[in-house]
Amino acid sequence: MVTLLYFASLRESLGCSREEIALPSANPTVASLVDHLRSRDPRWTAAFAPGSTWRVAVNQRMADPATVVKPGDEIAFFPPVTGG
Amino acid sequence: MGAARVQEADFDVGAELETLTRSRRDVGALASFVGLVRDANDGSCVSGMTLEHYPGMTEDALEDICAQARARWDLIGTLVIHRVGALKPGDRIVLVGVTSAHRGDAFAACEFIMDYLKTRAPFWKREDTPAGSRWVEARASDDSAAQKWKE
C-alpha cells in the first residue's frame, strides 16, 4: 500500500485529500502510478490529462515521473507551488 | 546555523533578525527580504488570501533550500519564516534573513533562497477577489528566476 495526498486545486478538482491504494504493478514509478490513477476514475483522467501541469513529492522530497515508488511511500500530488 | 519555521502568527522582523546577530562579532553583513500581501493581482482586486502548505514537507524543503545556500556561499546564519492561513493585504507573508562576513554573499544567498522558495517550497495561495476566490497560478517568471542560479 502507498498513501496518496492531494493539495490545493488538485485536491478540490478530485474531491480527495488522501487515500491509500495498492501499488498497481511491479517496479512502479510515479508515471505508472499516474497511468493507473487515470484509468480508474474520470476525475483523475481529467486532472492528470496529457499536458496538465502537476508536481509530485515522494516521501516529502520533490520527485518526478521517473521516480521509483515502493510500498509504504507517501506520494503527494499538487499544482506548481505559489508561496513567497 | 539555520532555522526554518512555518506559522500562522505574524513575526517581528526586528526581533527575528536580531537573533541572527546577537552575541556575534564575525557578522559583517545581514541581508533580509520581507514578502507582503498585495491588494491586486492579475488585474483583480484582492481582499485577502489563504495560504495552504504540506505539513511535514514544508519545513524540510525550506531547510534544504537554506542548506543549499550555505553550501554555495560563505554564510554565517540563515533564517526563513513563512506564514500560512488567512492573510490580508499589507500582511507579512515571508521573512528571509542571511548573515555573512561580507555583503556579496549575503545579498546573493538571500535572493537565491527566495527564488528557490518560490518554485520548490510546497505552499499554495488562494486569493479572494470580487469575482470569488481563485487559486493563484504559478508564474513562468518565477521558474526563470530560479533557473538563473543553475547557469
Side-chain angles (χ1 to χ4, degrees), chain A residues 8 11-12 74 79 82 84, chain B residues 52 54 82 123-126 135:
Chain A
R11 178 191 69 243
E12 289 188 350
E74 176 176 292
T82 56
Chain B
E52 174 177 333
Y54 180 174
H82 202 298
F123 294 99
W124 302 275
K125 288 177 183 146
R126 189 177 180 111
W135 290 100

Side-chain angles (χ1 to χ4, degrees), chain A residues 1 3-4 12-13 15-20 23 25 30 34-35 48-49 55 57-58 68-69 73-75 77 81:
Chain A
M1 301 292 282
T3 300
L4 306 184
E12 289 188 350
S13 57
C16 177
S17 61
R18 179 193 179 98
E19 61 176 331
E20 307 222 337
L23 283 170
S25 60
V30 168
V34 167
D35 282 343
F48 292 95
R55 300 285 184 270
V58 175
V68 171
V69 295
D73 281 353
E74 176 176 292
I75 302 151
F77 294 99
V81 301

Side-chain angles (χ1 to χ4, degrees), chain B residues 57-150:
Chain B
M57 176 172 170
T58 319
E59 292 85 349
D60 287 349
L62 294 175
E63 283 174 11
D64 181 62
I65 292 165
C66 290
Q68 289 185 57
R70 290 194 297 272
R72 213 165 154 141
W73 290 280
D74 193 4
L75 306 181
I76 294 168
T78 59
L79 170 70
V80 179
I81 303 173
H82 202 298
R83 294 179 69 193
V84 293
L87 298 172
K88 296 285 182 203
D91 283 352
R92 287 176 278 269
I93 306 176
V94 61
L95 169 66
V96 176
V98 178
T99 49
S100 183
H102 302 286
R103 71 183 185 284
D105 283 351
F107 275 132
C110 189
E111 187 176 13
F112 169 89
I113 289 170
M114 270 312 299
D115 286 346
Y116 268 41
L117 183 157
K118 280 271 184 188
T119 53
R120 284 150 205 246
F123 294 99
W124 302 275
K125 288 177 183 146
R126 189 177 180 111
E127 60 189 13
D128 303 318
T129 74
S133 83
R134 64 184 184 191
W135 290 100
V136 173
E137 298 276 333
R139 294 173 191 275
S141 59
D142 287 335
D143 282 329
S144 49
Q147 196 64 34
K148 74 171 184 268
W149 296 104
K150 293 189 170 172

